[in-house]
Amino acid sequence: MAQAPAHADQIIQARWIAPVEGPARLLNDHAVVISGTRIVDILPAAEVGRRWQATETLRLDNHLLMPGLINAHTHAAMNLFRGLADDLPLMTWLEQHIWPAEGKWVSEQFVGDGTRLAAAEMIRSGTTCFADMYFFPEAIARVATEAGLRASLFCPVLDFPTPMGQGPDDYLRLATAAADNWRHDPLISVGFGPHAPYTVSDEPLQRILTLAEELDCQIMMHVHETAGEVQGAVDAGGERPLARLARLGLLSPRLLAVHMTQLTDDEIRQVADTGTHVVHCPESNLKLASGFAPVEALRTAGVNVALGTDGAASNNDMDMLGELRTAALLAKGVAGAADALPADAALAMATLNGARALGLDQLTGSLVAGKQADIIAIDLSALETRPVYDPIAQVVYAAGREQVTHTWVAGRCLMAERQLLTLNTGRILRDTQTWQENINA
C-alpha cells in the first residue's frame, strides 16, 4: 500500500537549483520543500507529488534557486549618505566628510530610516543576511526584524566620542546590552565592531576579546585597508596592524578582518594558521583607491574569504550580485590568472563563506535539508542572460539584481515577483526624501 504524501508548508519547483554545498553542483528540474522555517527535502520535481503535499506550491520554470546572498560587511544606515562625498581617498572621505556628517545627523531615527532604505534594497537584490557595523545597533535590529532579514550586528567601538557615546565604556555597555536583549531572537546575532587599529587602543581591544569569549560572539574590524594605514602604524608604534592584533590575541576564528588589501606572504600564512576570516569589499576598495585584496592567494592558503558591499556611501550600492561579479573579475586581474576565483567559488564566497565567517553556516548559506529556508529565485529568461549554458556562471557574470524575483528568509517570503511584502516602499521613499532635503539644507 502506497504511503500518503507528507505535509509541508511550501514547495518551490524550479528549472535549476544551485545548492552551493553537497555532492551536486547543479540540480535540474528539482523542488525545495519547506516546513516552517526549514528546508525538509530537495528532490526531483517529478517525484515531489508522490512524497509531499503542500499548502502552497510555486513553479518557476525559468529560474535558478540558490541560497540567499550574505552581505558580510556593510553600514546599512549610510544609505542616507549615498553620493554625499564621491571621488575622494579614504582618510579625506572619512575625516572631512563622513565623520562630520555623522556627527551632525546620526541618531536612532537616522539609523532606523537609513537601515529601512537599505533593507528594501537588499531584499530586492537577493540579500537575505547582512553583517552590519554601525551606531545604535538595536535600531538596526528592530528594522531587520520588521523587514524579515537575518542580521549579524557588530556594535562599533572607538576611542573617541560619537553620536552613540563618549568612549569605549559607553560602546561596550551598549554592545553587551544589545547582546542580552536580542539573544533569543532567531534572526539576530550581536558581536563587537572595533572600528580599526588606528581608532581603537590596546585596552579596549583586550576587553573586547574577553567579552567576545564570554558571550561566544564574533568580532569585526577594518584591517589593513590602505597602505597609508599600515605605514602610519609602523611609524607610530613600530609594528604593522596585523602584528599588533596578533600580539593582543585577536587573530582567531572569531575575527572577521575587513578589506585586507595590504598583506605580505607571511601575513597571509598567519591569517590562515589562526583561522581568521577575511571579508572582501572590492567595489568600495576600488572606489576609494584603497588597494586590492589578494583573494586568490588567501584562498590558496586556506583562508575563508567572504564578500561584502561596505556602505553605500563608498560603493555606492548594496548590490551583492554586482559585487560578486566585480570580485570574480578583479581576482583574475590581481592574480594574473583567468582561472582564479571561478564562478562556483565566487558564489560560495557570497553565500556559504559569509555564513561560515558569521558562525551561521549550520543555519544558512546553502540549500541543504535541515537548514533555514533562506532562498532567492533569479529569472534567467531575460535576453540579457540568454542562452543559458551554465546557470551558475550566468548568475556570476551576466545576471543583474533586477532579475531577482523572489526572496525568502526562514521560509517567509519577503518579495514576490519584485513586490516587497514586508516593507512599505512609499514610506521609505518619503522618509528618504525628507533626509535628503535636511542634509542638503
Side-chain angles (χ1 to χ4, degrees), residues 367-384:
L367 302 187
V368 175
K371 283 196 175 186
Q372 295 281 295
D374 295 357
I375 305 169
I376 62 173
I378 301 178
D379 185 355
L380 295 180
S381 66
L383 63 87
E384 290 85 357

Side-chain angles (χ1 to χ4, degrees), residues 7-247:
H7 179 76
D9 295 309
Q10 300 177 68
I11 294 172
I12 309 168
Q13 298 184 24
R15 177 65 183 85
W16 305 279
I17 297 176
V20 173
E21 187 178 19
R25 173 182 182 266
L26 188 69
L27 301 170
N28 293 290
D29 296 316
H30 272 57
V32 175
V33 183
I34 302 168
S35 183
T37 65
R38 295 185 178 275
I39 298 168
V40 293
D41 201 359
I42 299 176
L43 71 169
E47 298 177 15
V48 73
R50 294 195 299 272
R51 295 174 57 180
W52 294 98
Q53 61 179 6
T55 305
E56 179 183 355
T57 297
L58 179 65
R59 290 182 59 95
L60 299 170
D61 293 330
N62 299 305
H63 294 64
L64 172 75
L65 283 187
M66 56 175 270
L69 298 163
I70 296 178
N71 187 343
H73 178 71
T74 191
H75 313 280
M78 293 184 81
N79 266 40
L80 290 177
F81 290 146
R82 192 197 324 258
L84 184 68
D86 289 332
D87 306 321
L88 297 167
L90 174 64
M91 296 316 296
T92 303
W93 177 80
L94 268 179
E95 295 175 349
Q96 298 181 26
H97 297 272
I98 296 303
W99 285 346
E102 287 177 334
K104 183 171 184 179
W105 295 110
V106 169
S107 64
E108 287 202 55
Q109 185 69 44
F110 175 97
V111 170
D113 290 346
T115 302
R116 195 173 288 108
L117 173 63
E121 182 178 356
M122 286 190 281
I123 292 169
R124 285 166 57 87
S125 302
T127 291
T128 56
C129 175
F130 69 107
D132 205 78
M133 180 200 278
Y134 209 61
F135 305 112
F136 301 107
E138 297 207 57
I140 304 168
R142 288 190 291 271
V143 172
T145 300
E146 172 191 339
L149 287 167
R150 196 176 300 279
S152 293
L153 308 179
F154 293 88
C155 305
V157 180
L158 303 100
D159 282 347
F160 48 82
T162 70
M164 197 175 77
Q166 293 304 303
D169 288 345
D170 285 347
Y171 306 134
L172 292 174
R173 175 177 51 80
L174 290 168
T176 52
D180 186 56
N181 292 339
W182 293 87
R183 69 184 185 279
H184 297 305
D185 191 292
L187 297 181
I188 305 295
S189 58
V190 177
F192 295 93
H195 173 261
Y198 57 88
T199 55
V200 189
S201 51
D202 285 3
E203 193 271 338
L205 288 176
Q206 291 169 327
R207 290 168 62 191
I208 286 169
L209 180 58
T210 299
L211 287 167
E213 290 173 347
E214 290 176 356
L215 298 173
D216 191 21
C217 64
Q218 300 293 85
I219 301 168
M220 177 177 284
M221 191 177 200
H222 305 103
V223 182
H224 284 222
E225 186 170 359
T226 66
E229 170 202 335
V230 175
Q231 189 59 51
V234 172
D235 292 343
E239 62 183 346
R240 290 165 67 89
L242 205 65
R244 176 174 159 235
L245 297 183
R247 173 171 54 80

Side-chain angles (χ1 to χ4, degrees), residues 223-227 258-263 285 290-294:
V223 182
H224 284 222
E225 186 170 359
T226 66
V258 182
H259 299 303
M260 298 285 269
T261 70
Q262 314 292 319
L263 293 173
N285 292 340
S290 298
F292 311 114

Side-chain angles (χ1 to χ4, degrees), residues 273-349:
D273 291 344
T274 56
T276 300
H277 307 278
V278 169
V279 183
H280 181 36
C281 301
E283 292 187 359
S284 177
N285 292 340
L286 286 167
K287 186 163 184 281
L288 295 169
S290 298
F292 311 114
V295 170
E296 193 63 11
L298 288 162
R299 290 182 61 244
T300 301
V303 176
N304 180 52
V305 183
L307 189 67
T309 60
D310 211 349
S314 65
N315 186 309
N316 291 18
D317 59 42
M318 303 189 78
D319 177 6
M320 279 288 289
L321 280 179
E323 203 78 30
L324 175 57
R325 182 171 187 262
T326 299
L329 297 179
L330 184 63
K332 301 174 193 311
V334 171
D339 58 354
L341 194 62
D344 292 68
L347 186 63
M349 193 163 73

